[in-house]
Amino acid sequence: QVQLVESGGGLVQPGGSLRLSCAAVGSFIAINAMGWYRQAPGKQRELVATITSVGSTNYADSVKGRFTISRDNAKKTVYLQMNSLKPEDTAVYYCNAGIRESYWRTWSDYWGQGTQVTVSS
């Protein structure tokens, strides 16, 4: 079984910082792109940032210059450093990864359980 295990959410004041982590655990042979998405109450899930297996990154316009996505392939972990947080960043943040469990199976899309980020004074 493959799982994405997230950590690092919480309550922070506007202008503060948080770092989210997401580790892929279980039995698999490769990880492709990884990313972070978020869903605020009453809104659709939206892309925050993605990173390919070789480190190319993509960001939503709303977080450019404030958030940084990175990955440690040896640790099978993706990170999201969030700085200058705003109340509108409040949402449940979900980790996503394309993972191949074995040579006789194709790539599958996996999601973490979600971690709450609340930006409020």
Side-chain angles (χ1 to χ4, degrees), residues 10-16 85-88 90 117-121:
L11 173 64
V12 64
Q13 292 186 341
L85 282 160
K86 305 175 181 180
E88 50 263 43
T90 296
V117 172
T118 302
V119 185
S120 175
S121 54

Side-chain angles (χ1 to χ4, degrees), residues 4 11-12 23 25-26 40 42 45 47 50-51 54 64 70 73 76 78 84 86 88 101 104 111 114 116:
L4 297 179
L11 173 64
V12 64
V25 298
R45 190 175 296 188
L47 179 146
T50 61
I51 184 167
V54 295
K64 282 181 181 177
S70 61
N73 290 331
K76 303 175 179 64
V78 63
S84 302
K86 305 175 181 180
E88 50 263 43
E101 292 188 40
W104 53 87
W111 291 89
Q116 177 70 47

Side-chain angles (χ1 to χ4, degrees), residues 31-80:
I31 305 175
N32 199 352
M34 304 182 82
W36 290 94
Y37 293 73
R38 66 187 181 187
Q39 187 167 19
K43 295 188 176 182
Q44 289 189 330
R45 190 175 296 188
E46 64 176 4
L47 179 146
V48 176
T50 61
I51 184 167
T52 70
S53 58
V54 295
S56 295
T57 59
N58 179 54
Y59 295 92
D61 288 342
S62 59
V63 307
K64 282 181 181 177
R66 301 187 298 122
F67 291 10
T68 302
I69 189 170
S70 61
R71 64 191 283 172
D72 184 330
N73 290 331
K75 294 182 178 180
K76 303 175 179 64
T77 299
V78 63
Y79 306 95
L80 185 68

